[in-house]
Amino acid sequence: MIKDFTLYMIFILSILAMKRSFAQETPKLIIRSDDIGSFSAANHAIIETYKNGITTSVELMINCPWAPEAIKLLEEFPDLDVGVHLMITSEWENVKWRPLTEVPSLVDDNGYFYSFIYPNQNVPNAAILEHNWKLEDIEKEFRAQIEMAKKLVPRISHISTHMGCGNMHQDVKNMLAKLSIEYDLPQDYDYGLKMFPNIQLNKQKDFDAKVSAFLDGLDSLKSGEVYMFVEHPAQDVSEMEHVGHEGYRNVRQDRSEVTKLLTHPKIKERILNLGIELIDFKSIDYKSIKEKS
């Protein structure tokens, strides 16, 4: 009897150990939905993909006119992870954004941010790097955005950058690393995440092909790795109809399909069946990562 009980306990402990091992080895995935604050259509779509989909982290653009609405929505979901999405561009033709501070080297003659970071052959003279930008102006503006975001959304957990502005020059990268330490806000790439496989959603022929490509991407995730997927949900509404710039005109369709993708039942089911753990930035022990690096 004792022998049988002992064997039974060994069996149970073995099963528990296997489960723990599986949990440790399962792929982890951050679904990052960018540009909350940019449009009301983006705000509500992003919240929808969090409530009824797979979004785990959102990136707040504090300069934009719809940021106040975004902040009200975020207050309704206190567990939703939020990063400050630092921005120094205003890429869309029919809506323009301005800095929080006086930074003359970062704006055009009308006081708007330039459209792009890097030169666009279809829109000459519209990129920051085509002008005499000043590092002190970028730092001044970044500081203002960080401080306003922390004031209005105290739970801000990390920093990300819009259109890759944090990588535009080594001096900018160095300055942003300094601000990250000063404000105790890790940058998104400080976590050592792997990017979700390049599934080229915008090149898929139709929505079903996008779903299939995303499912294939999920199937390819490796055990024990931590990945990040980045996209830009929005609603399929008239507000987005005339949002665009040269080279990217189908914004309404493209971003509304992102919303459908991140709430799609087949995708949610595949994540569950594969045992993929959806996580956010605030759940990662960043300090231990830093100590190991």
Side-chain angles (χ1 to χ4, degrees):
M1 187 76 173
I2 293 175
K3 182 179 179 181
D4 290 343
F5 179 76
T6 302
L7 290 173
Y8 175 75
M9 289 304 299
I10 291 173
F11 173 75
I12 293 298
L13 290 172
S14 297
I15 294 296
L16 291 174
M18 288 172 62
K19 287 185 175 181
R20 282 196 299 270
S21 175
F22 177 79
Q24 290 170 355
E25 290 300 318
T26 186
K28 293 179 172 61
L29 176 60
I30 292 175
I31 303 291
R32 196 182 99 185
S33 288
D34 283 11
D35 297 4
I36 195 168
S38 58
F39 301 97
S40 183
N43 293 346
H44 290 279
I46 288 171
I47 293 298
E48 173 69 14
T49 64
Y50 170 68
K51 285 169 50 182
N52 298 310
I54 59 174
T55 287
T56 60
S57 182
V58 303
E59 310 303 306
L60 174 63
M61 299 175 75
I62 200 69
N63 294 54
C64 299
W66 285 98
E69 181 191 62
I71 291 163
K72 288 180 182 177
L73 290 170
L74 290 172
E75 289 172 352
E76 297 177 21
F77 300 93
D79 293 330
L80 176 54
D81 187 32
V82 187
V84 55
H85 202 45
L86 301 179
M87 55 181 288
I88 50 173
T89 51
S90 180
E91 62 268 28
W92 309 118
E93 288 180 0
N94 295 321
V95 57
K96 287 296 177 185
W97 302 320
R98 298 176 183 271
L100 299 179
T101 61
E102 187 174 349
V103 282
S105 73
L106 305 182
V107 297
D108 63 17
D109 292 341
N110 297 314
Y112 298 123
F113 284 128
Y114 291 112
S115 296
F116 309 106
I117 299 294
Y118 302 97
N120 184 322
Q121 62 181 0
N122 298 310
V123 192
N125 209 38
I128 292 174
L129 291 178
E130 293 176 294
H131 298 270
N132 186 28
W133 59 274
K134 290 182 169 50
L135 183 65
E136 56 266 33
D137 280 356
I138 297 178
E139 178 173 352
K140 180 181 180 182
E141 180 62 21
F142 279 179
R143 283 183 179 277
Q145 291 180 28
I146 292 169
E147 289 173 7
M148 179 173 278
K150 284 173 67 71
K151 175 184 175 182
L152 297 175
V153 188
R155 70 180 191 267
I156 291 287
S157 69
H158 63 279
I159 290 169
S160 61
T161 55
H162 185 57
M163 297 182 74
C165 61
N167 295 316
M168 61 180 275
H169 190 278
Q170 188 60 48
D171 289 347
V172 176
K173 292 178 71 173
N174 295 343
M175 176 269 291
L176 193 50
K178 179 187 71 173
L179 294 185
S180 172
I181 294 170
E182 180 180 337
Y183 287 101
D184 194 25
L185 290 173
Q187 297 181 70
D188 52 356
Y189 59 77
D190 287 336
Y191 292 88
L193 306 171
K194 291 184 176 296
M195 292 304 297
F196 193 83
N198 183 8
I199 54 178
Q200 297 185 308
L201 288 180
N202 61 336
K203 293 186 178 179
Q204 303 301 327
K205 61 182 180 180
D206 55 34
F207 180 68
D208 287 342
K210 291 182 179 183
V211 173
S212 180
F214 196 90
L215 291 172
D216 289 343
L218 291 171
D219 289 341
S220 72
L221 301 188
K222 293 180 170 45
S223 297
E225 300 288 0
V226 184
Y227 296 87
M228 177 172 67
F229 176 80
V230 178
E231 256 300 351
H232 307 77
Q235 293 175 316
D236 186 8
V237 294
S238 59
E239 181 189 18
M240 301 303 295
E241 181 63 30
H242 301 291
V243 173
H245 60 70
E246 198 63 40
Y248 185 24
R249 295 295 184 189
N250 64 328
V251 178
R252 176 176 179 172
Q253 177 184 347
D254 182 51
R255 298 197 170 190
S256 64
E257 288 187 348
V258 168
T259 304
K260 289 167 61 179
L261 191 77
L262 297 184
T263 55
H264 200 283
K266 284 186 178 179
I267 288 173
K268 293 193 286 186
E269 182 181 17
R270 185 67 59 87
I271 288 171
L272 183 64
N273 290 341
L274 292 172
I276 295 169
E277 183 182 355
L278 295 178
I279 64 170
D280 56 23
F281 289 98
K282 61 183 169 54
S283 68
I284 300 175
D285 187 356
Y286 167 71
K287 290 183 178 175
S288 68
I289 294 174
K290 200 71 176 172
E291 288 170 0
K292 292 177 183 177
S293 62

